[in-house]
């Protein structure tokens, strides 16, 4: 397939690009190169004959039309987004603009391309979304594909809105889409403002390791390369018009997660005192969802997919990767806002 991947210079998008090229697909990577992008993430495929890069913004309708016409993709995998919840609290506008309006512009470009080319049945618009659209769980239960949407942050609300647009373009115009909602990802090339890289890098630097609230929030962690595998599975074998939840089957509290990373670092990069002594509890994120958990029954039973690594295996690979790739994360730490506490500005004027 020739796959147009949006956001392919980001964390998950780059894993998809690397995996798709490895699997023999052709890839057109469309990315605006925001603060969250890093072309080093795809440097290993940059010279591959099946890879092309387009520096473009999904909100730019003319650019999108040109890219569809020039590359004639068989499928779109849409990952471009503003993705950091804390940044969405400080500046929701960019999230509405890219995640909602950008998705609309991309849908229209895809629809125009698909329509003018005889509405090929095999065409797919794969929208990559998050389990955060379902809101927060209590101590029990899991999100299924039938769980009502109840987003709590500007980020998750913007993703929920984009999910609804994709569904509507399928129902109204017949655009063949698949939609995936997945849990928190982690792994190599994870941008250093997200929880797991923050923990690793603060631990290595000897600084306090910030844990929001009491660290009792629960997430279902998914190794990014497993996610890329799941996405390509859904793209190729998922049923048109269907949503698939993707989870890692790895539920853990944030404090337990942080302690596991500290224990790995004690073994892999020992220092005089245990790294866990650096843990510092800080004011919680406003609207912080307590628990996310994915019921993966549909993707497991219908598509035969399940994650390949446990949380401990994935964390060990991730910590090793960060230890081995210091120049990569050092360069990104210099970017605006990275390493600072964001997302506390409730009530502040825009
Ligand atoms: P990321 O922030 O690492 O990467 C986003 C990429 O999109 C960047 O390369 C950025 O330059 C690009 N981009 C942003 N705005 C753009 C625009 N207007 N036009 C073109 N490109 C633009 O994000 P990620 O963590 O890799 O997440 C990718 C997708 O997966 C997002 O849609 C996100 O909502 C979803 N998702 C992420 C997670 C997670 O744990 N990270 C979990 C579930 C779903």
């Amino acid at each position: 397939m020739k796959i147009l991947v949006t956001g392919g210079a980001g964390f998950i998008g780059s894993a998809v690009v690397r995996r798709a090229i490895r699997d023999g697909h052709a890839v057109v990577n469309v990315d605006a190169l925001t603060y969250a992008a890093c072309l080093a993430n795809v440097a290993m495929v940059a010279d591959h004959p099946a890879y092309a890069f387009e520096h473009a913004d999904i909100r730019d309708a003319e650019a999108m039309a040109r890219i569809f016409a020039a590359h004639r993709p068989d499928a779109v995998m849409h990952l471009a987004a503003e993705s950091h919840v804390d940044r969405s609290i400080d500046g929701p506008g960019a999230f509405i603009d890219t995640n909602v309006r950008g998705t609309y512009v991309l849908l229209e470009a895809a629809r125009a391309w698909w329509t003018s080319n005889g509405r090929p049945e095999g065409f797919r618009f794969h929208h990559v979304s998050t389990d955060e659209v379902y809101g927060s769980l209590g101590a029990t239960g899991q999100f299924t594909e039938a769980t009502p949407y109840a987003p709590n942050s500007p980020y998750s609300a913007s993703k929920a809105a984009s999910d609804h647009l994709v569904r509507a373009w399928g129902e109204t115009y017949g655009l063949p889409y698949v939609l995936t909602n997945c849990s928190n990802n982690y792994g190599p090339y994870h941008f250093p403002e997200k929880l797991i890289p923050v923990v690793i890098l603060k631990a290595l630097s000897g600084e306090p390791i910030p844990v929001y609230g009491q660290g009792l929030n629960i997430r279902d962690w998914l190794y990014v390369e497993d996610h890329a595998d799941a996405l390509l599975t859904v793209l190729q074998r998922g049923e048109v018009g269907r949503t698939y939840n993707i989870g890692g089957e790895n539920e853990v509290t944030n404090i337990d997660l942080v302690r596991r990373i500290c224990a790995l670092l004690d073994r892999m990069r020992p220092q005089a005192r245990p790294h866990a002594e650096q843990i510092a509890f800080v004011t919680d994120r406003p609207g912080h969802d307590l628990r996310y958990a994915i019921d993966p029954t549909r993707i497991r039973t219908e598509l035969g997919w399940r994650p390949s690594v446990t949380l401990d295996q994935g964390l060990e690979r991730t910590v090793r990767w960060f230890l081995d790739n210091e120049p990569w994360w050092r360069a990104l730490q210099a970017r605006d806002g990275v390493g600072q506490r964001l997302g506390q500005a409730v009530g502040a004027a825009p």
Side-chain angles (χ1 to χ4, degrees), residues 9-12 31-32 34 57-58 79 81 83 98 129 155 159 182 185:
F11 168 47
I12 303 172
D31 200 297
T34 70
D57 194 310
I58 57 164
L79 295 101
S83 70
T98 280
S129 191
Y155 163 68
K159 291 298 291 188
C182 81
N185 282 222

Side-chain angles (χ1 to χ4, degrees), residues 11 79 89 111 152 208 232 242 246 268 270 288 303 323:
F11 168 47
L79 295 101
I89 295 168
R111 179 165 79 95
N152 290 319
L232 284 158
R242 204 152 170 80
I246 308 171
M268 295 158 88
H288 202 177
L303 304 182
L323 290 175

Side-chain angles (χ1 to χ4, degrees), residues 240-255:
V240 170
R242 204 152 170 80
T243 292
Y244 297 85
N245 283 354
I246 308 171
E249 301 180 34
N250 279 315
E251 265 191 68
V252 67
T253 61
N254 285 351
I255 188 64

Side-chain angles (χ1 to χ4, degrees), residues 6-14 30-38 56-59 78-84 98-99 102 127-132 155 159 181-186 189-191 193-194 221 227:
T6 70
F11 168 47
I12 303 172
S14 66
V30 177
D31 200 297
L33 300 182
T34 70
Y35 83 95
C38 185
D57 194 310
I58 57 164
R59 295 167 296 180
H78 176 33
L79 295 101
E82 290 291 341
S83 70
H84 189 37
T98 280
N99 300 358
H127 181 58
V128 177
S129 191
T130 167
D131 62 353
E132 300 188 29
Y155 163 68
K159 291 298 291 188
N181 296 88
C182 81
S183 55
N184 286 48
N185 282 222
Y186 70 102
Y189 303 99
H190 204 178
F191 196 74
E193 67 183 355
K194 302 283 175 78
W221 291 93
H227 188 202

Side-chain angles (χ1 to χ4, degrees), residues 226-280:
D226 276 343
H227 188 202
D229 182 51
L231 292 176
L232 284 158
T233 300
V234 171
L235 178 74
Q236 293 168 102
R237 295 199 281 114
E239 193 181 308
V240 170
R242 204 152 170 80
T243 292
Y244 297 85
N245 283 354
I246 308 171
E249 301 180 34
N250 279 315
E251 265 191 68
V252 67
T253 61
N254 285 351
I255 188 64
D256 184 10
L257 178 81
V258 173
R259 289 190 195 287
R260 288 191 205 200
I261 295 169
C262 288
L264 281 167
L265 284 168
D266 289 343
R267 178 155 59 78
M268 295 158 88
R269 187 63 67 84
Q271 60 179 20
R273 289 166 44 196
H275 289 90
E277 287 186 13
Q278 291 165 236
I279 293 172

